[in-house]
Amino acid sequence: MADAQDNHGGLLFPPIERIQKEAHISSFKQYEDMYKQSIEDPESFWKEIAKQFYWKSEPTGKFFDYNFDSRKGPIFIKWMEGATTNICYNALDRNIDRGLGSKIAFHWEGNNPEDGGHITFNKLYEQVCKFSNVLKSMGLKKGDRVAIYMPMIIELVVALLACARIGVIHSIVFAGFSSESLAERILDASCRAIITSDGVWRGNKLLNLKHIVDEAIIICEKRGHKVERCIVVRHLSPSDEIITEDGDGDCTTEPPAKRPSRQLKIQWSDRDSWWHKLMELQDAVCEPEWMDAEDPLFMLYTSGSTGKPKGVLHTVAGYMLYSATTFKYVFDYQPDDIYWCTADVGWITGHTYVCYGPLNNGATGIIFEGVPFYPDAGRFWQIVDKYKVTKFYTAPTAIRALMKFGDDFVTRHKRTSLKILGTVGEPINPEAWLWYYNVVGNKRCAVVDTFWQTETGGHVITPLPGATVTKPGSATFPFFGIVPALLDEEGKEITEAGKEGYLVFKQPWPGIMRTVFGNHERFETTYFKKFHGYYCTGDGAKKDADGYIWVTGRIDDMVNVSGHLLSTAEIESALVEHAAVSEAAVVSHPHKIKGECTYCFVTLKEGFSFSKDLSVELKNKVREKIGPFAQPDFVQEAPGLPKTRSGKIMRRILRKIAVGDKEVGDISTLADETVIDKLFQLRPADA
Ligand code: WTA
């Protein structure tokens, strides 16, 4: 057992011996040597790693090339251009060829603890080939976009890998987004087809995904885009009494035990086909499409500070190298691991650390359909014991929410299989870190706080479990190939310990995004124009005297609610769509469990008055427009907003008002200072 050492009043956690013993990287010196090589000679570092993968042909030009300075020309990043490969081939065929065919690729754990199953690499290969042939039979081909709006089921991974196999660009939309948000994403990418399921149980809730997809398709049609095909997985059982309008509702699944029965009505049209019917007709062999290293692999939307989501585009080879390598070292992957990342595949964490990273290492993973509190707050640890999970990866928000239920839900389960505990998505507060380490991990597991973004493709600042002495709340040091810096407002590098600045990266790594789909200019403006020559994360950070990096959170108009990035502009535009609202300003507000939540100031139109009912209506408006996870916590009336004489809303002041802090700072630039007192008076009682 390792106990913390005291370090200038802070806690230091050296690597756990039993983990260090088996680790790929088992000392800080080894990390430092590899790190040095990775940044001084990236080419030979990644060339060596590339040898583990299958390449149909070798790179034709430079191994890597880039421009990070828009004054010198367009921003570009290229790794291994001209080489050909296929990430699905590497994840499946290559692993089967090295004898892993009968190994389990995924255990599937249903929302209901009695539902489950598993799939081997052989079987996954067969399903993926069949589904690739389904997509091909519909005329889908390399470069086409397909939207995926699915629950956490094996078919989701099959769909994703099948797209990758034939070069179709997948655009997965988290199945918690509203039909509006889904439509916006389908339209932006001009998706030709969509893959979904009839519905899904999430805890006690039955969601009609097919209906949301139908609505999204109608919105797209109204805006002039036709989604040609919709493929529907039959996931619910007869006990959910699905009724399809044309009666095409025959069942292939067994009724799962003890689910509350409810009727779910789904509509059926000519463009719809059942997944299982299409699969019956297909061959279980499909030659992969040999892709150029820099061909697009997938796009994934992330919130943008202007309100319109950005289609972050990743390409084949760089993403493959980076997802697999970060997975291997950060979770110290060992062949007998049972690895579980609780993230939904609809987010980047699910793309990289449920699917591509683990599969390319030949790992056994878990796909969990449910939620942490169903049937009770011990569900995570019950699943850990059931499958003997060794490496576990979740979000600080889940940890904080579970902490609230007390230790008993954890300690009633053994958890002796656990070795490494990861977190991702937002800064983890030391209190939650310590609970994770002491209670969940029983002081015998390494905690890795991994900082990264949809844009970075994989971990960029993270401890390595066998090498790094950790400090609760710090993501510690850069991963291989990452050169971080902290800049002040003028773009000067901060070297002083403890001083906060913009977190930026100086040179590319293989997994960095290549562009914003359909809008390269936006890519350049968002990430490269603030500081020439650097990729700008949009996060603030500081370094302590020992060189540890502490990420402090977003410094743009983005709010991180339960690890989901939301744009305040997008919420504002949902609010002003309501007939009563003339203007809205949304700011971030601290929240005990979610980390941050949103606090909305609304100015009403003449003739409307503020009420509790209106506040509920406005919250629902955001929920319907974006998705349930975006629902604001607070709405308050604002007869006027604090604006500068040029009309810019001073959000800094609104954030102070939201938390009730009267020290609002300099207000000399305000057009009307009296609004501030009024806003303090109108704060809701529960804020
Ligand atoms: C935040 C999720 C502090 C950060 C993989 C980042 C973190 C945004 C951490 C990206 C962490 C993620 N510590 N902050 N360990 N991990 N973040 O694109 O603000 O959904 O910019 O990718 O989450 O969120 P995204």
Side-chain angles (χ1 to χ4, degrees):
M1 269 206 229
D3 269 306
Q5 292 166 9
D6 205 29
N7 158 259
H8 323 299
L11 296 176
L12 281 181
F13 291 81
I16 307 269
E17 213 181 287
R18 66 179 186 124
I19 290 166
Q20 196 165 30
K21 262 193 203 146
E22 69 173 14
H24 297 291
I25 298 170
S26 56
S27 72
F28 199 68
K29 170 85 174 59
Q30 192 186 351
Y31 157 74
E32 283 180 317
D33 291 346
M34 284 175 74
Y35 176 73
K36 191 160 181 277
Q37 192 216 348
S38 78
I39 60 167
E40 285 174 2
D41 185 4
E43 177 162 342
S44 42
F45 184 86
W46 293 104
K47 244 185 194 162
E48 192 56 35
I49 287 173
K51 284 186 192 156
Q52 298 154 24
F53 294 87
Y54 177 81
W55 305 92
K56 185 80 178 168
S57 65
E58 295 298 313
T60 48
K62 284 190 187 167
F63 190 83
F64 95 110
D65 197 6
Y66 74 103
N67 173 35
F68 262 20
D69 189 341
S70 60
R71 293 167 305 190
K72 294 184 185 152
I75 303 292
F76 73 91
I77 301 130
K78 288 176 182 167
W79 287 85
M80 301 185 73
E81 206 184 16
T84 51
T85 186
N86 183 290
I87 194 169
C88 172
Y89 183 91
N90 274 286
L92 300 178
D93 312 46
R94 180 180 59 101
N95 279 322
I96 292 168
D97 289 348
R98 59 185 186 121
L100 299 181
S102 55
K103 187 173 178 182
I104 291 175
F106 290 107
H107 291 285
W108 178 71
E109 172 80 11
N111 178 62
N112 184 318
E114 285 164 55
D115 291 347
H118 65 256
I119 190 161
T120 59
F121 276 88
N122 279 332
K123 194 81 188 156
L124 186 58
Y125 166 83
E126 192 186 298
Q127 295 287 308
V128 167
C129 284
K130 281 190 179 178
F131 196 65
S132 302
N133 288 326
V134 166
L135 295 174
K136 276 167 107 175
S137 74
M138 294 180 167
L140 292 160
K141 54 182 193 312
K142 182 176 169 182
D144 286 342
R145 276 82 56 204
V146 166
I148 298 180
Y149 187 79
M150 285 171 88
M152 286 287 282
I153 53 179
I154 303 266
E155 286 87 344
L156 170 52
V157 183
V158 172
L160 162 142
L161 290 171
C163 287
R165 193 166 187 89
I166 63 167
V168 161
I169 303 171
H170 57 75
S171 170
I172 305 186
V173 180
F174 169 61
F177 274 108
S178 65
S179 49
E180 278 262 353
S181 297
L182 174 58
E184 188 179 13
R185 287 158 174 75
I186 296 174
L187 281 167
D188 186 71
S190 305
C191 294
R192 289 185 60 192
I194 182 158
I195 308 163
T196 188
S197 79
D198 40 12
V200 67
W201 284 98
R202 226 174 255 151
N204 281 314
K205 273 192 250 152
L206 178 60
L207 308 178
N208 192 332
L209 299 185
K210 173 70 166 64
H211 181 66
I212 297 171
V213 167
D214 289 343
E215 283 184 341
I217 292 176
I218 292 168
I219 299 171
C220 291
E221 260 160 27
K222 282 192 192 142
R223 298 192 203 156
H225 173 73
K226 186 166 176 268
V227 177
E228 297 158 46
R229 303 296 295 257
C230 173
I231 302 171
V232 188
V233 175
R234 172 179 283 297
H235 176 53
L236 297 176
S237 72
S239 67
D240 300 311
E241 297 182 63
I242 302 169
I243 307 169
T244 54
E245 289 229 314
D246 67 353
D248 183 9
D250 62 321
C251 290
T252 55
T253 47
E254 289 298 310
K258 288 190 234 135
R259 273 178 173 159
S261 168
R262 234 186 79 176
Q263 236 181 37
L264 187 77
K265 188 170 167 167
I266 64 174
Q267 313 249 324
W268 208 254
S269 81
D270 290 348
R271 106 194 123 233
D272 299 325
S273 319
W274 284 115
W275 169 292
H276 60 273
K277 292 209 167 166
L278 295 168
M279 293 286 271
E280 274 168 17
L281 311 169
Q282 299 300 335
D283 254 9
V285 180
C286 174
E287 173 71 8
E289 179 81 32
W290 296 108
M291 307 281 287
D292 187 277
E294 282 299 335
D295 277 335
L297 170 62
F298 69 82
M299 51 198 293
L300 179 61
Y301 285 87
T302 182
S303 298
S305 53
T306 58
K308 195 174 144 40
K310 309 178 281 262
V312 168
L313 191 102
H314 284 284
T315 55
V316 176
Y319 178 81
M320 176 167 85
L321 294 181
Y322 202 69
S323 56
T325 309
T326 48
F327 174 79
K328 174 179 169 185
Y329 291 124
V330 175
F331 297 111
D332 191 48
Y333 173 65
Q334 303 291 340
D336 57 352
D337 272 336
I338 306 290
Y339 163 82
W340 181 22
C341 165
T342 69
D344 194 288
V345 174
W347 306 110
I348 191 68
T349 306
H351 281 62
T352 306
Y353 299 113
V354 174
C355 302
Y356 288 115
L359 284 171
N360 271 301
N361 280 278
T364 297
I366 292 176
I367 293 182
F368 175 44
E369 181 189 31
V371 293
F373 312 103
Y374 180 83
D376 66 37
R379 185 72 192 274
F380 274 2
W381 325 120
Q382 176 246 327
I383 296 173
V384 164
D385 280 359
K386 177 170 172 186
Y387 298 101
K388 309 245 173 327
V389 172
T390 52
K391 314 281 163 81
F392 178 76
Y393 194 29
T394 198
T397 184
I399 298 168
R400 288 192 297 264
L402 291 170
M403 259 171 92
K404 223 182 52 176
F405 287 87
D407 298 0
D408 197 40
F409 279 106
V410 185
T411 52
R412 71 172 67 147
H413 302 281
K414 287 202 191 84
R415 297 157 288 115
T416 43
S417 54
L418 287 173
K419 293 179 178 171
I420 293 169
L421 304 171
T423 79
V424 58
E426 50 181 314
I428 180 163
N429 47 313
E431 193 193 353
W433 194 104
L434 289 169
W435 186 79
Y436 203 30
Y437 181 86
N438 289 327
V439 180
V440 175
N442 226 351
K443 301 184 183 179
R444 45 195 294 286
C445 300
V447 170
V448 287
D449 169 7
T450 62
F451 169 85
W452 61 295
Q453 309 177 294
T454 305
E455 293 87 338
T456 67
H459 307 138
V460 284
I461 297 180
T462 177
L464 298 180
T468 314
V469 177
T470 49
K471 298 187 184 186
S474 167
T476 72
F477 300 104
F479 189 74
F480 304 131
I482 306 292
V483 187
L486 300 176
L487 303 183
D488 67 14
E489 200 57 55
E490 276 71 54
K492 273 223 328 272
E493 241 183 81
I494 298 171
T495 45
E496 206 181 306
K499 194 161 171 232
E500 191 171 337
Y502 290 87
L503 177 63
V504 299
F505 299 120
K506 288 186 185 173
Q507 63 188 50
W509 57 99
I512 186 176
M513 73 185 286
R514 302 299 196 261
T515 190
V516 169
F517 182 82
N519 197 346
H520 196 68
E521 197 186 322
R522 191 165 179 209
F523 172 61
E524 299 190 333
T525 320
T526 312
Y527 306 102
F528 294 96
K529 289 258 163 89
K530 188 162 178 68
F531 304 111
H532 293 290
Y534 300 93
Y535 165 85
C536 183
T537 59
D539 283 289
K542 52 193 176 188
K543 243 188 205 181
D544 69 16
D546 302 326
Y548 282 69
I549 297 169
W550 299 73
V551 178
T552 48
R554 302 294 308 184
I555 33 186
D556 49 15
D557 290 333
M558 225 85 89
V559 183
N560 192 327
V561 180
S562 299
H564 305 319
L565 274 194
L566 296 171
S567 135
T568 51
E570 196 177 4
I571 298 172
E572 286 159 8
S573 73
L575 290 169
V576 294
E577 273 187 21
H578 191 284
V581 179
S582 71
E583 193 170 17
V586 176
V587 295
S588 137
H589 184 266
H591 187 283
K592 259 196 136 58
I593 293 186
K594 301 180 191 176
E596 291 177 30
C597 66
T598 52
Y599 190 113
C600 313
F601 293 86
V602 291
T603 307
L604 301 183
K605 289 183 186 154
E606 281 290 316
F608 288 92
S609 57
F610 197 78
S611 66
K612 207 163 178 172
D613 285 351
L614 178 64
S615 161
V616 173
E617 259 179 55
L618 292 174
K619 287 180 186 175
N620 283 337
K621 180 87 200 171
V622 177
R623 198 183 159 90
E624 279 155 29
K625 187 89 187 150
I626 304 174
F629 60 92
Q631 181 173 312
D633 281 57
F634 303 102
V635 179
Q636 95 156 67
E637 186 187 2
L641 291 166
K643 289 184 186 171
T644 60
R645 278 174 207 79
S646 58
K648 199 171 149 36
I649 297 174
M650 295 192 70
R651 287 159 199 284
R652 170 178 69 73
I653 296 178
L654 291 175
R655 280 192 287 270
K656 292 274 187 184
I657 296 170
V659 294
D661 179 357
K662 299 259 172 170
E663 301 290 321
V664 293
D666 181 16
I667 52 169
S668 58
T669 56
L670 280 188
D672 174 10
E673 294 176 12
T674 62
V675 296
I676 295 182
D677 279 343
K678 279 189 216 137
L679 290 177
F680 271 113
Q681 283 158 22
L682 289 167
R683 287 182 72 237
D686 56 343

